[in-house]
Amino acid sequence: MAGEIPRKRIISKEVAYAQQEIWKFILGFTPTAVVKCAIELGIPDILENHQTPMTLAELASKIGCNQSSLYRIMRFLIHYKIFQEKHVFETSVVGYAQTPLSRLLTRHGENSMADLVLLESTPVMLAPWQKLSAWVLDNKQLPFDAAHGTDLWGFTAANPGHSKLFDDGMACDARVGVAAVIAGCPEVFEGLKTMVDVGGGDGTALRLIVEACPWIHGINYDLPHVVAVAPTSTGVEHVGGNMFDYIPKADAAYFMKVLHDWKDEECIGILKKCRKAIPQDTGKVIIVENVIGQKEDNEFNDVGLMLDMVMMAHTTNGKERTLKEWSYLFHEAGFTRSPPPLPLPGTTVAAGNHHRRQEPPPHPPLPSPTATHLHPPPPATSSATHLYRQPPPTSTITHHHPPPPLPPPRTT
Ligand SMILES: C[S@@+](CC[C@H](N)C(=O)[O-])C[C@H]1O[C@@H](n2cnc3c(N)ncnc32)[C@H](O)[C@@H]1O
């Protein structure tokens, strides 16, 4: 019939859906870029300080920018629920206001993640993503090294400005993570006189822990260039060194988002060093890390998987791990038992204890049935469900170990 479109040229619903969805990937960088722009313009802080909704004219005047660009930026961010529109108190005038999301983007708010947004969107951190496919293809040069000629830690050591950005970004995450650990499983800190935070960055995590548990003397242990500029705080001593060589002696060793930067062999080496740093009978290793879902559960969460890609782009063979993969590390390092993970509000914590390994180790790289047995997946309780579903899940695992011969401490 004249004017009728041939049937084969009408696209199916699936193809139409795919054609729509693919734009999320084509332009997936825009939310990050526009959120970064809003932070740089100081919009979350301006709205926070103003306390009542601000009109476009007021906001543009405060920032010192033209209204038409600002209007489009705000329209975009309102669409993504970063900001909202609200009536100015008892008037018909509509203005811009904060949301719970934008409160996380003020520069110095209690739970601010602004520094982490600014870090991840720097040209330095974006460049390695251009090298990802080459790395996957030939495994010759890690993406970060290919982009910058050195690894992340070498780069931060040579670039104090980027090192500060990195430490500030990590401190954002540390503030949220430590609050969850203290609220959800304070018992892990009971009875500790000393605790070393290995890879503790600028000491933010340890400062908060010592504030909450003032009976603990904290040792913040990180690379010399990091602790050299770390702020001082009561009850926290900064020690510079290399965790592959030596870990300072303490009742407990605390690792927060450190082991995910390293491959299995390196983590096992670090954990073995830990066994030399803590007392045999009462010592603990406390690990606060992401736990990603296991394949059979099909419960990988978006944030966990994104972080796993970040580890590939930015670290020297680091990765996010499933419970079985964590169990494998503990077993290989000589620990035989750890309790199931404990859920926390907004995050998840697992606690465990430790015993010296008696049986032969499982074969790498896959976790063996022995490792699974030593650190079984959590039972199908609400805790376990919570563990896998909270983005980003985190686990704390404590272990005991045999006595150490002690190397001399290195301090800065
Ligand atoms: C991802 S950051 C985590 C920082 C901190 N634990 C937190 O959660 O905010 C990893 C830390 O490990 C430190 N690091 C890297 N290599 C190290 C080494 N060989 N010895 C000690 N610390 C190291 C880095 O300087 C960095 O502060």
Side-chain angles (χ1 to χ4, degrees):
M1 191 192 291
E4 190 175 325
I5 300 171
R7 194 167 267 283
K8 67 178 179 188
R9 289 178 60 191
I10 299 174
I11 59 171
S12 69
K13 274 187 185 166
E14 287 82 0
V15 171
Y17 175 77
Q19 287 175 343
Q20 184 68 26
E21 282 295 293
I22 201 66
W23 282 97
K24 291 182 185 167
F25 297 90
I26 295 168
L27 301 177
F29 59 89
T30 53
T32 306
V34 182
V35 164
K36 174 191 170 89
C37 169
I39 295 169
E40 288 176 343
L41 294 174
I43 299 173
D45 293 279
I46 291 171
L47 292 180
E48 185 69 16
N49 293 335
H50 199 264
Q51 293 182 342
T52 56
M54 283 180 95
T55 63
L56 176 64
E58 286 172 333
L59 187 58
S61 155
K62 183 77 185 171
I63 296 170
C65 67
N66 77 65
Q67 290 187 24
S68 61
S69 302
L70 183 62
Y71 168 75
R72 289 161 60 200
I73 295 281
M74 294 305 284
R75 180 175 62 184
F76 181 94
L77 292 170
I78 287 167
H79 176 77
Y80 281 92
K81 299 187 172 24
I82 301 286
F83 297 114
Q84 60 179 325
E85 283 180 310
K86 264 187 163 178
H87 282 283
V88 179
F89 186 61
E90 286 185 346
T91 70
S92 59
V93 178
V94 173
Y96 300 122
Q98 295 274 68
T99 67
L101 273 173
S102 63
R103 288 200 179 90
L104 299 179
L105 299 175
T106 55
R107 288 309 298 269
H108 303 293
E110 194 186 342
N111 293 323
S112 172
M113 300 298 268
D115 287 329
L116 204 45
V117 174
L118 297 178
L119 170 71
E120 292 299 337
S121 55
T122 54
V124 170
M125 298 310 250
L126 291 175
W129 294 101
Q130 314 298 326
K131 312 289 182 183
L132 199 58
S133 56
W135 161 250
V136 173
L137 263 182
D138 62 20
N139 265 237
K140 280 193 181 143
Q141 207 179 12
L142 287 156
F144 195 96
D145 297 45
H148 299 297
T150 176
D151 69 10
L152 176 59
W153 317 119
F155 188 89
T156 53
N159 295 275
H162 189 76
S163 189
K164 168 93 172 92
L165 272 178
F166 186 86
D167 294 341
D168 289 349
M170 294 306 109
C172 290
D173 192 34
R175 280 189 288 270
V176 177
V178 166
V181 173
I182 290 171
C185 53
E187 66 276 8
V188 297
F189 302 114
E190 280 170 14
L192 300 179
K193 289 198 178 75
T194 54
M195 188 172 85
V196 55
D197 185 355
V198 184
D202 70 359
T204 296
L206 202 48
R207 174 178 59 78
L208 295 171
I209 292 169
V210 169
E211 275 171 17
C213 311
W215 56 89
I216 296 177
H217 172 76
I219 302 161
N220 183 52
Y221 185 60
D222 206 297
L223 294 167
H225 73 272
V226 177
V227 296
V229 293
T232 55
S233 57
T234 308
V236 176
E237 171 192 357
H238 293 297
V239 176
N242 181 347
M243 64 189 167
F244 290 99
D245 296 338
Y246 162 70
I247 292 175
K249 189 181 177 189
D251 292 339
Y254 183 86
F255 289 87
M256 185 161 162
K257 307 284 180 74
V258 169
L259 295 175
H260 72 167
D261 292 336
W262 304 97
K263 64 182 172 186
D264 288 358
E265 295 77 8
E266 291 162 330
C267 290
I268 291 162
I270 296 165
L271 287 170
K272 282 182 176 171
K273 280 274 181 302
C274 247
R275 286 176 39 206
K276 296 182 179 170
I278 56 177
Q280 180 183 15
D281 48 351
T282 54
K284 290 180 183 174
V285 176
I286 303 165
I287 298 173
V288 182
E289 279 282 2
N290 301 304
V291 178
I292 57 171
Q294 303 191 66
K295 230 177 193 167
E296 56 271 30
D297 302 329
N298 197 22
E299 283 183 346
F300 291 100
N301 68 63
D302 289 350
V303 176
L305 290 176
M306 285 177 190
L307 283 169
D308 188 46
M309 292 297 100
V310 172
M311 293 306 117
M312 195 184 284
H314 290 165
T315 71
T316 42
N317 286 309
K319 60 180 182 179
E320 300 302 337
R321 292 180 169 88
T322 63
L323 275 180
K324 282 186 180 176
E325 289 167 330
W326 283 114
S327 303
Y328 170 74
L329 299 188
F330 307 143
H331 187 279
E332 285 296 286
F335 303 116
T336 58
R337 198 153 61 84
S338 53
L342 303 174
L344 290 178
T347 182
T348 304
V349 167
N353 58 12
H354 55 85
H355 288 274
R356 187 80 176 92
R357 181 177 63 219
Q358 306 291 323
E359 63 274 72
H363 298 293
L366 291 173
S368 74
T370 313
T372 306
H373 178 69
L374 295 171
H375 187 155
T381 61
S382 56
S383 309
T385 308
H386 190 65
L387 167 69
Y388 287 112
R389 291 198 174 142
Q390 289 297 325
T394 305
S395 74
T396 301
I397 296 111
T398 59
H399 293 274
H400 294 247
H401 75 83
L406 291 170
R410 287 197 260 161
T411 56
T412 54

